[in-house]
Amino acid sequence: MKLYHIPRYVALMLAAITTVSCADLLNLEPQQNISEELALNSDANVKTVLIGAYDALSNGDLYGGNIQIFSELLGGDGEVRWVGTFDAPRQIFNKQISVTNGDVQDTWIQAYDAINICNNVLASLEVVNAEDQDQVKGEALFIRSAIYFELVRLYAPQYESSTVSSPGVPLVLTPTRSIDESSKLARNTVGEVYTQVITDLELAASILPESNGVFAAIGAAEALLARVYLQKGDYAAAALAATLAINAGGTLNPDYGDAFNNSSYSSEDIFAITVTTQDGVNWMNLFFSIPIYGGRDGDIEIQEDHLALYDSLDSRLALFFVGAGATRTGKWNNQFGNVNIIRLAEMYLIRAESNQRLSSTVGASPLEDYNKVHTRAGLAAATEVTLEDILLERRLELAHEGAKIHDNRRLGLAVGGRPYNDPRLVFPIPQREIDVNSNLVQNTGY
């Protein structure tokens, strides 16, 4: 999805329809703001605001980097190390997160701001040209669903039978245009959030176009559905959704390295955040890379325990390099490169895992899907495959892309000696939200 620089008049529209967090005690509307009625009174304006929703999704606190970085740091268990000077990510890496952690707070705020932009678009579909209403609706639902999925994974326990009724995150499904008592929503359950995400993504997949340039299309909605189903352990639905995403098009890059550091979609990108020299941020580059490639000073180092997981013939090893005194991943060495969100390789691995668990062959056999990814890494095709093989392949293929803590939690794997369901592997609800919303309850352990 290509993001262009948003002109000042568009920024004013977004300011008009984007409410601040409940914790914003001084909600003074700038005089240059225009009303939401004016901002959302035409087909062109609603479509412009939809682009603003993509822009919000690409914020550094969301898919511009932090959501993925949080997963890698929180799931860090001897394979990566945070050495940067910023305290907020250090707290996340050490699993000692303060309720006033700035990064945790900013991601919550930016997430609900982006959700509110989507809600405003969805509430204004009647002014959109009839032939475009489904597409606009589908894109807004996709963005909102992606954000709710990330929120419930970070701020709530892993979905399982014992937690389905546990507090998730508040579901806000209509525009918030002022702050009053009705804005103080309680947390919906984990199960309710997953149900909403799945319902909206299924609808999005049914109305999005097959091709949509760099914006969300059917394949993106199906791919995200596959992720959601895998996270909740619904393997039959995950295999089907992954198959639909695969069938939507795309091919694996012959060279693994060619999947990264691109200034446009590669053949295996299903959904990505595009950064240009004019607009957008790539915080994966900022924190994983080093100054010569536009990063900081090398805040995240790759440890030997991770490198030891690879076969010596695995071509994915070639993407690691030594720089600024430590080993780095080369996936994020283009300051203006795509931030890959969902790649085709992940869909093959989701389908392989799901079919292996169910002894099924939806779309293809587990061995066929496994070998597509395995041989692309320069390794000999396997003649048989186990669940452990598939999970290791996923660990190597998706390393340092944001899957780590979520995989550990769904697989029941300990992290740094902590059990997968340790409360400290879940973010706290930001204290500033708790302070102004008496209906919010804090997570266990905070």
Side-chain angles (χ1 to χ4, degrees):
M1 172 242 358
K2 187 157 185 174
L3 296 177
Y4 298 92
H5 175 70
I6 296 185
R8 186 171 182 273
Y9 79 91
V10 177
L12 295 181
M13 287 183 188
L14 297 181
I17 58 93
T18 303
T19 190
V20 291
S21 163
C22 289
D24 198 357
L25 301 180
L26 288 177
N27 184 23
L28 302 179
E29 184 179 15
Q31 291 190 11
Q32 71 270 25
N33 276 4
I34 55 178
S35 71
E36 67 271 11
E37 289 83 5
L38 179 58
L40 296 161
N41 70 350
S42 72
D43 172 83
N45 285 355
V46 173
K47 290 173 180 174
T48 298
V49 171
L50 177 61
I51 293 175
Y54 281 104
D55 194 65
L57 184 66
S58 73
N59 184 284
D61 290 306
L62 300 179
Y63 277 165
N66 263 1
I67 281 177
Q68 300 91 301
I69 291 167
F70 291 160
S71 176
E72 296 301 322
L73 293 181
L74 196 57
D77 188 8
E79 294 181 39
V80 301
R81 185 164 68 124
W82 172 265
V83 297
T85 57
F86 294 137
D87 184 57
R90 183 184 298 111
Q91 289 181 14
I92 294 170
F93 175 68
N94 290 333
K95 290 76 171 168
Q96 295 292 335
I97 307 169
S98 166
V99 294
T100 59
N101 183 289
D103 284 352
V104 171
Q105 173 181 288
D106 290 346
T107 290
W108 178 281
I109 292 171
Q110 294 298 331
Y112 277 102
D113 280 350
I115 286 167
N116 198 50
I117 296 174
C118 293
N119 287 341
N120 275 277
V121 170
L122 292 167
S124 305
L125 292 172
E126 71 278 359
V127 303
V128 176
N129 293 340
E131 64 271 22
D132 297 331
Q133 285 184 8
D134 278 354
Q135 179 173 330
V136 170
K137 182 177 182 179
E139 291 184 55
L141 287 173
F142 170 83
I143 296 169
R144 190 177 73 177
S145 297
I147 296 170
Y148 272 128
F149 180 49
E150 301 300 349
L151 284 173
V152 78
R153 292 204 293 179
L154 287 171
Y155 295 86
Q158 164 62 26
Y159 184 104
E160 49 194 352
S161 59
S162 61
T163 64
V164 69
S165 297
S166 298
V169 296
L171 284 172
V172 185
L173 304 176
T174 57
T176 303
R177 292 169 178 168
S178 63
I179 302 298
D180 54 33
E181 286 302 309
S182 68
S183 306
K184 298 180 179 180
L185 298 179
R187 297 170 67 178
N188 290 81
T189 67
V190 170
E192 287 170 340
V193 177
Y194 268 83
T195 296
Q196 187 69 48
V197 168
I198 290 169
T199 298
D200 286 351
L201 282 175
E202 288 179 339
L203 176 55
S206 72
I207 59 179
L208 281 169
E210 293 182 4
S211 177
N212 197 16
V214 292
F215 297 97
I218 290 175
E222 294 291 1
L224 186 54
L225 266 172
R227 258 191 199 175
V228 175
Y229 284 129
L230 185 74
Q231 194 71 41
K232 73 189 291 279
D234 188 342
Y235 300 113
L240 177 58
T243 298
L244 292 172
I246 291 166
N247 292 345
T251 58
L252 293 181
N253 290 289
D255 186 329
Y256 178 72
D258 289 342
F260 307 98
N261 299 306
N262 298 306
S263 57
S264 60
Y265 269 50
S266 80
S267 63
E268 70 179 87
D269 278 321
I270 296 176
F271 187 71
I273 300 297
T274 297
V275 180
T276 73
T277 55
Q278 290 79 38
D279 186 54
V281 296
N282 185 339
W283 285 6
M284 301 298 281
N285 167 267
L286 188 68
F287 294 109
F288 271 104
S289 195
I290 55 178
I292 192 173
Y293 298 115
R296 277 174 36 87
D297 296 326
D299 296 297
I300 302 174
E301 299 177 351
I302 312 303
Q303 302 296 284
E304 183 58 37
D305 282 355
H306 178 73
L307 300 176
L309 297 172
Y310 295 83
D311 186 291
S312 61
L313 299 178
D314 195 320
S315 63
R316 290 172 293 207
L317 274 172
L319 211 55
F320 295 98
F321 69 101
V322 175
T327 300
R328 316 287 175 185
T329 174
K331 288 184 174 182
W332 309 110
N333 280 348
N334 182 354
Q335 183 179 2
F336 305 110
N338 274 8
V339 180
N340 309 84
I341 304 301
I342 310 177
R343 295 189 292 114
L344 182 61
E346 181 183 354
M347 295 300 105
Y348 286 122
L349 293 171
I350 287 177
R351 189 168 69 178
E353 177 183 342
S354 299
N355 278 329
Q356 184 74 15
R357 290 180 182 276
L358 299 174
S359 299
S360 58
T361 55
V362 174
S365 71
L367 181 62
E368 287 176 289
D369 283 338
Y370 171 83
N371 274 332
K372 282 184 181 293
V373 178
H374 192 67
T375 59
R376 197 265 292 267
L379 300 168
T383 56
E384 58 183 7
V385 69
T386 66
L387 179 61
E388 289 70 27
D389 293 332
I390 295 168
L391 293 177
L392 175 60
E393 197 70 25
R394 177 181 172 88
R395 188 173 178 180
L396 303 181
E397 178 70 22
L398 303 180
H400 316 123
E401 295 181 51
K404 192 66 167 69
I405 190 61
H406 309 307
D407 278 349
N408 277 43
R409 290 171 67 192
R410 73 179 179 85
L411 296 171
L413 302 177
V415 178
R418 297 175 181 270
Y420 78 96
N421 56 359
D422 189 299
R424 284 289 174 168
L425 298 180
V426 177
F427 281 178
I429 304 302
Q431 187 61 44
R432 75 196 299 262
E433 303 297 321
I434 297 287
D435 288 343
V436 299
N437 183 355
S438 57
N439 293 320
L440 284 179
V441 295
Q442 185 57 274
N443 282 326
T444 302
Y446 292 99

